[in-house]
Amino acid sequence: MAPSYEALRLGRGGSLSAPCLQDAFRLPALSTSVAEARRLVVLRLCSWGAGQEMCDNAELVVSELFTNAVRHTSSEEVRCMMQLRGKRLRLEVADQGCARTEPQARAVSVDQEGGRGLMLVEALSEAWGVRPDAGGTGRAVWAYLV
């Protein structure tokens, strides 16, 4: 797992003086909401002038994080926050809790159908991690893309 959000925010990969564009949305914790989350992220990034590669990577990352929140928690809704500062995007997907384990990338066999989502997030992200959600019951999984 990557260093904390605060360490990254204060460190490399972008200036704190760059303008920060941000947006957030909430959707019901349903499998049908995953496609809507992807659509909303891509729509917002395009409106901010993000490049095609960032849009493609963000679409895949939010899809994996949102799917995990829907599948592995008993949440009623899932929140997605995005911040673009310069060329660095921070995506965060927060659930309402009740997951059995903390999210972590794991090795899977070739014949397994699932289980590769966080490996994809790790491959596409500069860094990613998990923190307790501000509400106290859930957790938020964040990822930085450049």
Side-chain angles (χ1 to χ4, degrees), residues 69 72-77 94-100 133 136-139:
H72 302 296
T73 73
S74 60
S75 300
E76 292 183 19
E77 70 175 16
D95 60 54
Q96 295 172 315
C98 304
R100 294 184 306 270
D133 188 41
T137 59
R139 66 179 63 121

Side-chain angles (χ1 to χ4, degrees), residues 21-63:
L21 303 169
Q22 39 189 356
D23 196 13
F25 58 86
R26 296 171 187 259
L27 293 171
L30 303 170
S31 59
T32 54
S33 295
V34 176
E36 180 66 5
R38 285 192 303 260
R39 188 187 73 74
L40 290 171
V41 166
V42 170
L43 184 67
R44 179 57 63 215
L45 288 174
C46 287
S47 76
W48 290 343
Q52 187 63 49
E53 183 178 1
M54 178 173 282
C55 289
D56 292 345
N57 290 345
E59 182 177 26
L60 182 54
V61 168
V62 80
S63 181

